[in-house]
Amino acid sequence: MSDVNKWPDRAIKETENQYTSDEDLQKITVGKLKPHNAPITLTEYDPHWPELFEREANRVRSILGDKIIQLEHVGSTSVPGLCAKPIIDMLLVVEDSADEPSYVPALEAAGYILRVREPEWFEHRLFKGPDTDINLHVFSSGTSEIDRMLRFRDWLRSNEADRKKYAQVKQDLAKNKWRHVQNYADAKTSIVQEIMGRANSGK
């Protein structure tokens, strides 16, 4: 799971150990957990990222049709000017993400691979794409995490100071050697919470 994390800017659960253990990650991973054991590769913003999202979004729409309630480009690749891992994060909202028979077989038939099943965190599911490097995150309609993801994205799009601050923290952390990409994601929790505080207050 070297290129998969549950969501790059999520707030992690309150635990004594801030970083997710191998055992914890294996519990939610579909298939064998593969350590990353390397720094994180970040690239400068690529104006082609929105095009990759649209291409992938069109494919998902053709597969799931009216089962899709919402489909959004999220994560750092959705924020112009922000450095990112070159992986397109997508948010797919369906009626009930726990109802896998309603959407998983159709996606798998088209080449998508279910990599994460996380019942205890908003019934989150994550797929990798058949060709484009993506993380397709699936949540149920009405889940609070949907609003949080979109608010964080929109705030970074409009607030240059926080966008630069977030980029600097990411670049500093990325230089370290990380056993799993999720450990790097979890290490960003404090800066994400700080920025979300301003996003929620509008200041």
Side-chain angles (χ1 to χ4, degrees):
M1 202 171 86
S2 61
D3 58 351
V4 174
N5 56 293
K6 291 171 279 187
W7 187 57
D9 305 315
R10 65 173 285 184
I12 62 171
K13 304 177 183 72
E14 296 288 337
T15 60
E16 290 184 4
N17 180 5
Q18 183 180 14
Y19 304 127
T20 311
S21 68
D22 283 22
E23 183 181 4
D24 289 336
L25 282 173
Q26 184 60 72
K27 287 178 181 176
I28 65 168
T29 301
V30 179
K32 186 177 180 180
L33 180 67
K34 298 177 182 178
H36 180 67
N37 289 331
I40 302 297
T41 300
L42 299 178
T43 63
E44 293 302 314
Y45 178 79
D46 187 335
H48 293 299
W49 285 338
E51 297 173 16
L52 292 177
F53 164 75
E54 285 298 335
R55 186 178 71 185
E56 204 66 31
N58 287 334
R59 177 156 48 185
V60 173
R61 291 186 191 104
S62 72
I63 297 165
L64 297 180
D66 59 9
K67 293 179 181 178
I68 299 173
I69 295 174
Q70 194 172 1
L71 188 57
E72 300 270 357
H73 188 185
V74 294
S76 294
T77 62
S78 69
V79 180
L82 182 61
C83 59
K85 300 189 304 297
I87 302 171
I88 307 299
D89 279 284
M90 303 175 65
L91 166 65
L92 169 62
V93 182
V94 297
E95 183 176 352
D96 181 7
S97 55
D99 181 15
E100 292 190 10
S102 69
Y103 67 95
V104 172
L107 287 171
E108 290 183 332
Y112 292 83
I113 301 171
L114 179 63
R115 293 296 307 277
V116 171
R117 178 185 289 114
E118 201 168 9
E120 295 181 358
W121 190 64
F122 304 109
E123 289 289 354
H124 172 240
R125 304 295 190 273
L126 181 145
F127 293 82
K128 298 301 293 184
D131 43 53
T132 305
D133 200 353
I134 68 161
N135 288 330
L136 178 63
H137 304 271
V138 188
F139 290 102
S140 301
S141 178
T143 299
S144 61
E145 184 64 9
I146 297 168
D147 178 67
R148 194 192 77 85
M149 292 169 73
L150 296 176
R151 188 176 303 175
F152 188 75
R153 178 198 68 184
D154 293 346
W155 180 260
L156 288 180
R157 283 177 172 177
S158 63
N159 190 291
E160 182 179 6
D162 272 341
R163 187 166 62 246
K164 288 182 177 180
K165 180 178 289 189
Y166 185 50
Q168 186 60 59
V169 171
K170 290 175 62 173
Q171 289 167 341
D172 290 344
L173 289 171
K175 297 173 185 176
N176 299 325
K177 182 178 178 181
W178 298 96
R179 179 163 176 77
H180 298 289
V181 176
Q182 187 60 47
N183 301 144
Y184 159 76
D186 291 347
K188 296 185 296 180
T189 297
S190 59
I191 186 61
V192 170
Q193 290 178 339
E194 176 188 328
I195 293 173
M196 280 302 299
R198 288 190 286 273
N200 290 333
S201 66
K203 298 178 182 179

